Amino acid sequence: MNPASDVHGIGDGRVLISGGGIAGLTLAILLRESGWDPVVIERAPAMRTEGYMMDFFGTGWDVAERMGLVREIREVRYPIDALEYVDKSGSPTFPAVPIERVRRAFGGKYTYLRRSDLERILFHRASGAGVPVLFDTTIRSVQETGAGVQVTFSDGTSDTFRLLFGADGVHSRVRELVFGRESQFDRFLGYYIAGFHVPRREYGIGRSLKIYEEPGRVLWCYPLDEQSMDAVYFFRHDDVGRLAHEERLAFVRTQFAGAGWIAEQVLQDVPAAEPPYFDAMTQIGMPAWQTGRIALLGDACGCLTPLAGQGSHMAMAGAYVLSRELQRSGGDHRRAFPAYERFLKPFVTKKQDDAKRFAHQFVPASRLQMAIRYPLLRMTYSNLFIGRFLASFGAKSILTEYA
Ligand SMILES: Cc1cc2nc3c(=O)[nH]c(=O)nc-3n(C[C@H](O)[C@H](O)[C@H](O)COP(=O)(O)OP(=O)(O)OC[C@H]3O[C@@H](n4cnc5c(N)ncnc54)[C@H](O)[C@@H]3O)c2cc1C
C-alpha cells in the first residue's frame, strides 16, 4: 500500500499520533511498516518510568508475536517466582502458586513485565524505524478540514496531517477536543489505585508477588531487584475528584491507617520525592471511537481499568486492527475506521462488563467474603483448574476471530 497514492486524503502519508504509550507506539511502528509517515507527540518530557507489573499473554502476546517482539519481551526478568496471598502477619493463606504453573497453563505464552518495559521496547523499535517522538508536546487545538486535520501544538506552531490518532490514555486530550468532556464518557467503578516504587527493606517480600487483603483495601508487593520493590495499593472510596500530587500520599496513608502486614509501614517509608502512580479506576465508554479523519485507541476510548488486567492487550490490538484496516482499504479512513471500531468495540465492551462484575472480587467487601474466597482461589490456581480459569480470563487472543 502506498498511502501517497490515495486520492481521498491530503497528498502524503503523514499522520499524527498523540500519546507515546503502548497504544501510540504500537500504532506508530505498524503504520511505519506499512508505508505511512507517523509522528508521535508525548506530553511527558521523556519516556515515563512509573508503572507496575502487568501480566502479558493472550491478545497482547499475539500482537507482540506478529510484530516480532517476543524475544525482547521474554528477556525482561524480575525475581518473582510465585504468587502468594498473605495474612496480616505475612504468612501464606494457602500454598504459594508457582508462576511456572501459570506460564504452563498459557502454553508458555505468558510473562510479566512493567508497563515501562513494554514502552521501552516499543520506543526502541519505533525510533529504529525512524518514527519521530516529540516529548513535552501536546495538542492545543484541532480543526478537521476536507483535506486533513489541522493541529496547533502547545508551542503555538501548527501543522496539517492526513489523519489524527488519539492514543493519549484515559484522560485523552484528543477525545476532549474532538468528542467532548470526559465526564460524558467516564464511569468511576468506586475504587482507587496508587503505586509506589520503594527501597526494599526488611519487609519479607522474598521472591514472590504477595497480596494482602482486608475488606475494602488490598496491597500488592513484589520485588524488582535486590534494592527495590513496588507496592501497589487498591482501595474502595467514593469519588474525591482530582487530588493534587502533594495530597496523594497522605490520602493513601489515611485509607490504610490501621491496616495489617506491611501496608502502613511501606507508606511511611515511601520517599517524599517519589511520584506516586495514582488514579481512580475509571472506565471509558463511548458511543463512537472515530469521526472523520480522527480515531481513538487504547485507554482513550476503551479503558478497562486494571481490574480487567488486559488494557495493554487491547491497546496493542487496537493499533494492530487500525493499521490492518488502513492497509486493506488502501489508506481510506472512511472504510478503515468504522471497520476497526466494528471489530474491536464489542470485545472491549465485554471485557469492561466483566471487569465491573469482577470489581468486588478484586477488593473484597467483607471478612466473610474473604473466608469463602481463599479455598476457592486455592482451587482455581490448582493444576487441575488453572487452565479453565485462565481460558475465561482472556487466554485466547481475540485476533483469532479477526479475518
Ligand atoms: C496497576 C495497573 C495494573 C495493570 N495491569 C495490567 C495488566 O496486567 N495487563 C494489561 O494488559 N494491562 C494492565 N494495565 C492497564 C494498561 O497499563 C493500560 O491499559 C495500557 O497501558 C493502555 O495503553 P495506552 O497507550 O492506551 O495508554 P497509556 O499507557 O496511559 O499511554 C498514554 C500516553 O499518552 C500520554 N499523554 C497523555 N496525555 C497526553 C496529551 N495531552 N498529549 C500527548 N500525550 C499525552 C501519556 O503520558 C502516555 O504516555 C494495568 C494498569 C494499572 C494502572
Side-chain angles (χ1 to χ4, degrees):
M1 200 258 339
N2 175 10
S5 67
D6 172 25
V7 293
H8 303 296
I10 62 172
D12 63 27
R14 282 184 78 234
V15 298
L16 181 67
I17 300 171
S18 174
I22 292 166
L25 292 171
T26 305
L27 182 64
I29 295 164
L30 293 169
L31 288 180
R32 189 86 192 102
E33 285 173 2
S34 52
W36 294 82
D37 200 0
V39 175
V40 177
I41 57 166
E42 166 57 47
R43 182 180 57 185
M47 283 308 288
R48 297 176 324 165
T49 53
E50 77 265 33
Y52 33 77
M53 209 59 84
M54 305 187 312
D55 288 311
F56 199 72
F57 57 91
T59 305
W61 190 282
D62 189 1
V63 178
E65 222 164 30
R66 291 170 196 233
M67 294 174 73
L69 291 170
V70 165
R71 190 183 52 79
E72 287 152 82
I73 286 173
R74 277 193 201 274
E75 277 171 7
V76 179
R77 294 268 158 77
Y78 289 98
I80 306 173
D81 301 331
L83 164 75
E84 269 182 290
Y85 283 81
V86 296
D87 65 16
K88 63 177 189 306
S89 66
S91 307
T93 52
F94 59 90
V97 180
I99 297 291
E100 203 40 49
R101 187 184 298 164
V102 179
R103 201 187 316 278
R104 267 203 315 274
F106 280 116
K109 297 187 171 191
Y110 166 87
T111 193
Y112 51 86
L113 74 174
R114 298 178 97 207
R115 181 163 81 172
S116 52
D117 296 320
L118 186 52
E119 281 182 353
R120 178 180 39 79
I121 291 168
L122 293 167
F123 178 73
H124 282 139
R125 173 66 74 90
S127 305
V131 175
V133 180
L134 313 177
F135 289 102
D136 236 338
T137 308
T138 58
I139 295 177
R140 194 182 284 171
S141 67
V142 171
Q143 171 91 52
E144 188 174 345
T145 65
V149 186
Q150 196 185 11
V151 174
T152 305
F153 296 105
S154 40
D155 65 0
T157 58
S158 297
D159 203 345
T160 302
F161 296 87
R162 187 155 135 193
L163 303 171
L164 168 63
F165 299 95
D168 41 3
V170 62
H171 306 299
S172 167
R173 173 82 173 137
V174 173
R175 186 185 64 223
E176 186 186 32
L177 288 170
V178 178
F179 296 86
R181 286 187 332 275
E182 183 168 319
S183 56
Q184 298 171 74
F185 310 118
D186 64 3
R187 295 189 296 244
F188 175 56
L189 298 187
Y191 299 90
Y192 280 85
I193 176 171
F196 303 91
H197 183 57
V198 286
R200 233 174 127 170
R201 299 186 209 272
E202 296 307 310
Y203 296 129
I205 297 296
R207 291 181 61 95
S208 49
L209 159 62
K210 287 192 163 55
I211 302 179
Y212 173 68
E213 303 179 328
E214 288 182 8
R217 49 191 188 180
V218 173
L219 167 61
W220 291 14
C221 286
Y222 47 82
L224 297 171
D225 51 40
E226 289 302 316
Q227 284 80 40
S228 62
M229 62 179 237
D230 275 349
V232 188
Y233 291 79
F234 303 88
F235 53 97
R236 197 184 176 89
H237 204 284
D238 291 339
D239 192 353
V240 291
R242 291 249 171 119
L243 283 184
H245 262 268
E246 56 280 11
E247 294 174 315
R248 295 172 176 182
L249 179 56
F251 180 64
V252 183
R253 281 181 176 152
T254 310
Q255 301 317 309
F256 281 81
W261 191 42
I262 58 173
E264 277 195 293
Q265 182 61 52
V266 171
L267 285 171
Q268 292 311 321
D269 294 345
V270 168
E274 163 71 16
Y277 168 80
F278 181 90
D279 213 343
M281 294 231 200
T282 302
Q283 292 186 337
I284 298 293
M286 301 182 68
W289 288 1
Q290 42 83 34
T291 175
R293 292 174 179 275
I294 301 162
L296 302 176
L297 69 157
D299 279 5
C301 56
C303 181
L304 303 174
T305 74
L307 296 171
Q310 293 170 51
S312 66
H313 308 190
M314 291 303 112
M316 293 180 84
Y320 182 82
V321 174
L322 263 174
S323 70
R324 283 293 302 273
E325 290 301 331
L326 281 165
Q327 215 174 349
R328 275 184 184 166
S329 63
D332 185 352
H333 62 279
R334 293 170 306 180
R335 285 194 283 136
F337 286 2
Y340 146 72
E341 182 177 323
R342 241 185 343 265
F343 174 77
L344 200 63
K345 202 160 182 266
F347 287 102
V348 169
T349 305
K350 161 92 175 50
K351 286 182 192 296
Q352 287 181 324
D353 291 346
D354 290 348
K356 261 188 282 178
R357 272 198 303 276
F358 179 63
H360 70 282
Q361 299 282 348
F362 195 82
V363 181
S366 65
R367 296 251 169 231
L368 176 65
Q369 190 187 347
M370 287 167 59
I372 302 168
R373 169 182 174 75
Y374 293 127
L376 276 176
L377 279 171
R378 182 179 188 165
M379 194 173 75
T380 304
Y381 281 115
S382 67
N383 276 320
L384 194 59
F385 288 104
I386 192 166
R388 262 172 269 187
F389 166 59
L390 294 178
S392 69
F393 194 66
K396 188 172 147 212
S397 168
I398 63 167
L399 295 181
T400 53
E401 295 179 42
Y402 181 58

